[in-house]
């Protein structure tokens, strides 16, 4: 069983920065992409960014250029640098890992989420 643990969320003033981290409990065999999603109250979960195991990055269509996704495969860790935060960035941010393996078939894992609150 793979566990994804997010950290780095919290309360920040508008204009501030946060760096989220997602640590996978182990190397995930067969993972093809890892990414960040967010969900604000009353809204659907939306894509923030994904990064493939070959390093290709995809940002959600509504995501601002203030967000930067990166990964450290040696540490099984995914990051999201968020700069110049705005109140509309307030949401729960979730880490995701997706792929395929002979043992599990197609899989998707989610973390528990970390709350980001931006005060204006």
């Amino acid at each position: 069983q793979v566990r994804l643990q997010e950290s780095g969320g919290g309360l920040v003033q508008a204009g501030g920065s946060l760096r989220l981290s997602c640590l996978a409990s182990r190397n995930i065999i067969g993972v093809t992409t890892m990414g960040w999603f967010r969900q604000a109250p009353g809204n659907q979960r939306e894509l923030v960014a994904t990064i493939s195991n070959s390093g290709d990055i995809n940002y959600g269509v509504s995501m601002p250029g203030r967000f930067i996704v990166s990964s450290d495969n040696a540490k099984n860790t995914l990051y999201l640098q968020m700069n110049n935060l705005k109140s509309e960035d307030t949401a729960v941010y979730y880490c995701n890992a997706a792929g395929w393996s002979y043992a599990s078939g197609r899989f998707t894992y989610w973390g528990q989420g970390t709350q980001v609150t931006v005060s204006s």
Side-chain angles (χ1 to χ4, degrees):
Q1 182 69 22
V2 174
R3 195 167 69 96
L4 301 176
Q5 182 64 58
E6 302 98 337
S7 61
L11 175 64
V12 63
Q13 287 190 332
S17 297
L18 284 175
R19 188 192 196 202
L20 305 184
S21 298
C22 170
L23 174 64
S25 56
R26 60 173 174 81
N27 182 38
I28 307 174
I29 296 173
V31 66
T32 54
T33 60
M34 291 191 70
W36 292 97
F37 291 74
R38 72 182 184 183
Q39 187 167 18
N43 290 354
Q44 290 187 335
R45 191 170 296 189
E46 62 177 345
L47 169 69
V48 177
T50 59
I51 183 167
S52 74
N53 55 7
S54 60
D56 295 325
I57 293 174
N58 176 49
Y59 290 97
V61 292
S62 62
M63 287 303 118
R66 300 175 283 109
F67 291 1
I68 302 170
V69 65
S70 62
S71 64
D72 186 335
N73 294 334
K75 296 181 179 179
N76 294 331
T77 303
L78 181 73
Y79 302 100
L80 182 68
Q81 178 68 41
M82 304 186 293
N83 301 317
N84 191 21
L85 283 160
K86 303 179 184 301
S87 57
E88 55 262 38
D89 297 319
T90 295
V92 178
Y93 285 71
Y94 296 92
C95 180
N96 168 277
W100 185 92
S101 71
Y102 285 107
S104 305
R106 193 169 183 175
F107 61 79
T108 300
Y109 300 119
W110 290 96
Q112 299 250 344
T114 185
Q115 176 71 47
V116 172
T117 303
V118 184
S119 64
S120 56

